[in-house]
Amino acid sequence: MKKVMLAGALSIACLTGGFGGQAQAQETINVANIIHPKQAVAATSQLQAMSYQDIYKMLLLSKIGFENDEVSIVTTKNSITVKISLESILQSYKDGTNLYPEGEKEFKENYEELKKLFGNAIQIKITQTGNGFKSEVYTAGKWEAVSTEDLNDMVQVFARADVELKPGGYFKDAIGHWAESYIQLLYQADIITGTSATTFNPNGQVTRGELAAIIFRASGLNVNEDYEGPATYTDLNGFWGAKEVAILEEYGLIDIFNGEKFEPKKPVTREEMAYITARYLESMEVNVSQVSKTNTFTDKNQMRKETVEAIGLLQHLGILNGTNGKFNPKGNLTRAEVSKILTLTLMLLSEEE
């Protein structure tokens, strides 16, 4: 999931010339001149088929990878507001990562005019209205309506990211949660599921059995192809994920659970998650040979010996952190925290490809 998905989309939106009176005066900025007619038609068809919930999910996915000072997304029960700095869009053109490269000339030529219109950042708000939605952009100190045509242009660029949204995933109890984007990415990747069609329980604890299922899906393993026999654990009879656990054990991913019993309903600890994540990276052949494994947390003496370097590795990779210099290795993990850790891990994997 490239971080420039949103940068590309909003660089299109800001060039449409349809944002209120001041923007309409920019007659030299015409998105129709830089979008192929067939692409525009496809975008129109896509938008007509999209619901507010689909746009909500698409924008959440676009947040992944951005720094907080580059883009912010604020969600409420019936609206989503996106704010992205013009500088970050400019930088995405400079480093060649913008999904709309043919818009570069227009954007750069009109950069100063765009700053006059929007300030240092573009803000777009989409609000649910009954069965539909309305779109607005913040310009000249107030919110102005965005036409369907302009929103089509934005959606057209998102389509280039090759994201096919799954049904569902609109978790009402995750709206506004700090892990909202991470949760959405893992849901769309078929790695994590909700606790119901409309709930995720982001602050709920994760059990060993649930973590095994999540790691199994992320690994791309197949029960029918990879299962060679039962695990050595003695308490998996009747457990729904027994085969998945057996396969993960065979691959050495869950060696941290080295007792006679697996205890699938027992909550996972932070150090157990760190160890399994590090083993997962190794199994995916990520080159971390140059990354420090020095663990700088002040409660290192409370960690199991075999987890110290794994935690240090993930710390230096930026995948996990602590609070006030401590890691709290024996603490339990929430579903939201697991979502963030695994999303950052998958992002690291995508950079290696």
Side-chain angles (χ1 to χ4, degrees):
M1 190 67 59
K2 290 187 176 180
K3 71 178 230 174
V4 295
M5 191 188 307
L6 182 58
L10 291 187
S11 68
I12 281 289
C14 70
L15 292 174
T16 61
F19 298 147
Q22 289 192 41
Q24 289 174 2
Q26 306 297 317
E27 295 180 354
T28 59
I29 309 175
N30 188 346
V31 74
N33 293 333
I34 50 180
I35 293 183
H36 191 281
K38 290 184 179 179
Q39 293 176 330
V41 171
T44 301
S45 299
Q46 180 180 1
L47 181 60
Q48 290 174 344
M50 291 187 76
S51 65
Y52 168 80
Q53 294 182 3
D54 285 337
I55 292 179
Y56 162 90
K57 292 186 288 185
M58 182 176 64
L59 291 174
L60 283 184
L61 291 173
S62 72
K63 175 69 171 68
I64 300 295
F66 275 104
E67 299 294 336
N68 289 332
D69 58 348
E70 294 176 329
V71 66
S72 67
I73 292 183
V74 178
T75 55
T76 69
K77 287 191 298 184
N78 64 352
S79 73
I80 181 165
T81 303
V82 183
K83 180 178 180 181
I84 183 169
S85 72
L86 289 175
E87 179 61 33
S88 67
I89 298 175
L90 183 63
Q91 183 58 43
S92 72
Y93 279 125
K94 290 179 179 179
D95 61 26
T97 57
N98 197 297
L99 286 178
Y100 189 71
E102 60 266 49
E104 180 176 5
K105 183 174 182 292
E106 290 272 1
F107 182 81
K108 289 183 176 179
E109 287 178 351
N110 294 281
Y111 187 75
E112 293 304 319
E113 290 300 318
L114 293 169
K115 288 189 72 173
K116 291 178 183 178
L117 274 173
F118 304 111
N120 293 326
I122 301 171
Q123 298 182 69
I124 289 181
K125 179 166 63 177
I126 299 175
T127 306
Q128 192 171 20
T129 56
N131 294 326
F133 54 85
K134 67 176 182 178
S135 306
E136 299 170 284
V137 66
Y138 193 76
T139 179
K142 60 182 179 179
W143 289 101
E144 296 277 359
V146 176
S147 69
T148 301
E149 180 183 357
D150 290 336
L151 194 58
N152 279 339
D153 296 332
M154 184 176 74
V155 172
Q156 183 267 330
V157 179
F158 276 105
R160 296 185 178 197
D162 195 25
V163 175
E164 186 174 343
L165 295 174
K166 286 173 49 182
Y170 187 72
F171 301 121
K172 294 182 179 180
D173 61 348
I175 294 174
H177 196 283
W178 62 263
E180 197 171 12
S181 289
Y182 303 125
I183 292 167
Q184 190 60 224
L185 186 142
L186 294 188
Y187 173 81
Q188 293 296 332
D190 285 323
I191 292 173
I192 203 164
T193 60
T195 53
S196 76
T198 58
T199 60
F200 184 79
N201 189 20
N203 298 321
Q205 292 185 345
V206 178
T207 66
R208 291 181 174 187
E210 290 168 338
L211 180 62
I214 291 169
I215 295 297
F216 185 87
R217 296 180 196 127
S219 301
L221 295 167
N222 185 292
V223 170
N224 296 325
E225 296 176 3
D226 297 301
Y227 181 70
E228 296 183 356
T232 61
Y233 302 110
T234 61
D235 61 344
L236 296 180
N237 187 32
F239 172 55
W240 54 265
K243 288 186 176 180
E244 286 87 343
V245 171
I247 295 169
L248 293 181
E249 183 185 27
E250 183 70 23
Y251 277 88
L253 293 178
I254 53 175
D255 290 349
I256 191 70
F257 306 129
N258 54 9
E260 181 180 333
K261 296 182 178 181
F262 180 70
E263 300 179 275
K265 294 184 179 180
K266 185 176 181 178
V268 169
T269 66
R270 289 170 56 81
E271 66 178 347
E272 289 168 347
M273 176 69 185
Y275 180 89
I276 291 171
T277 302
R279 295 304 298 269
Y280 170 70
L281 284 173
E282 292 174 5
S283 72
M284 300 301 286
E285 299 183 348
V286 176
N287 183 8
V288 293
S289 59
Q290 303 302 313
V291 181
S292 172
K293 295 182 178 63
T294 302
N295 187 323
T296 65
F297 291 112
T298 58
D299 54 354
K300 184 164 53 177
N301 62 330
Q302 298 176 25
M303 301 173 187
R304 291 175 56 170
K305 183 179 179 180
E306 61 267 43
T307 69
V308 173
E309 287 194 354
I311 293 170
L313 172 67
L314 298 187
Q315 179 187 16
H316 289 285
L317 287 173
I319 291 175
L320 53 75
N321 49 40
T323 304
N324 298 323
K326 295 184 177 182
F327 182 67
N328 186 23
K330 309 301 182 188
N332 297 131
L333 280 162
T334 65
R335 289 167 56 81
E337 290 169 334
V338 167
S339 297
K340 179 180 180 179
I341 291 170
L342 192 51
T343 294
L344 295 180
T345 302
L346 293 175
M347 288 174 63
L348 178 64
L349 286 173
S350 69
E351 293 171 3
E352 292 283 316
E353 295 178 354

